[in-house]
Amino acid sequence: MKRLAVFTSGGDAPGMNAHIRAVERTGHKRGLEVIGIIGGYAGMLAGQFEVLDRIRTANILDRGGTVLKTSRCPEFHEREGRDKAVAQLRAHGIDGVIACGGDGTFHGAHFLHEEHGIRIVGTPGTIDNDLSGTDFTIGYDSAINTAREAIDKIRDTADSHGRLFFVEVMGRHAGFIAMDVGVACGAEYVAVPETMTDVDLLYQRILAQGRDARTIVIVGEGDELGGAMELGRLMKERYGLDSKVSILGHMQRGGSPTVRDRVLAARLGAAAVDALLSGKTDVMVGEQHGEITYVPLEQTWTSRKAVPPYLLELSNILV
Ligand code: F6P
């Protein structure tokens, strides 16, 4: 292998820049040329490639977002789109690829390997932490700390007014962010997509606080009742409760990455280069119990990662 490419894809996540830097540094230490693909799969299709060197990756590791940009690319769902992308990779002499993103990114990467024999490994980059085969994903720790900071502030005003707040956090179909910040911020109830939201229990918890006391309910965006807005509306309709709704949204994706995210991103970047050099392909490079692990890309979407049961338990005990 002489020339490897790296790209970021799907939702951006804090730590992606530290990851790109680690791939560039490790690649050069191993005597490789390193190319950045701009704009995820859309950039691959369009042939948007640039050479990465020390200067290009200097002063980026503390920055949120991704200097390589990212996209969601429907064209890549079609074989024709993937064929075009492979033609670009070949034209640019790329013989190894690192794809940093979530399960959508890994679907695309798996097809590139299966249909065209492209040597490709994935690295977990998403704030959702919803990929099996790694304990944590790049960006998750930063996102939960951003959410924690926002919720602590909401708590101040909720406490001063004695108000009920429904705070919605991201996570798509997974409740990792909601559960962790729920416990960290002392929420009275945490609604996550993985479990049925018990509206009566929620009402009891609110009553137990006292109608004029501060109550914080964390709602994962994929919650089966339809998110924080819907839950607030339901509590008004069913029990006449007034509440405030705060949707944290995309702010959770931004900001400077935490130390944990920078170190994870760096470690996985270096490990991904070495995985390609040792002949690995069609795998995600992750970290489990402190060790680097390799799981087939397919496993990252066929097996669902569960929110640790201790978190669910804790959130019920600590109310
Ligand atoms: O996967 C990361 C994530 O931020 C999810 O938590 C969220 O559901 C989704 O991306 C939002 O995607 P977009 O920014 O494309 O609307």
Side-chain angles (χ1 to χ4, degrees), residues 11-30:
D12 58 305
M16 280 182 164
N17 286 325
H19 188 62
I20 294 161
R21 176 180 179 270
V23 169
E24 180 273 311
R25 299 284 153 103
T26 311
H28 283 125
K29 283 261 156 48
R30 306 284 189 254

Side-chain angles (χ1 to χ4, degrees), residues 230-250:
E230 199 44 37
L231 212 48
R233 197 196 54 75
L234 190 74
M235 296 312 277
K236 174 75 179 171
E237 186 185 281
R238 206 180 279 187
Y239 304 108
L241 288 180
D242 290 322
S243 63
K244 297 283 177 187
V245 172
S246 197
I247 297 175
L248 301 189
H250 286 79

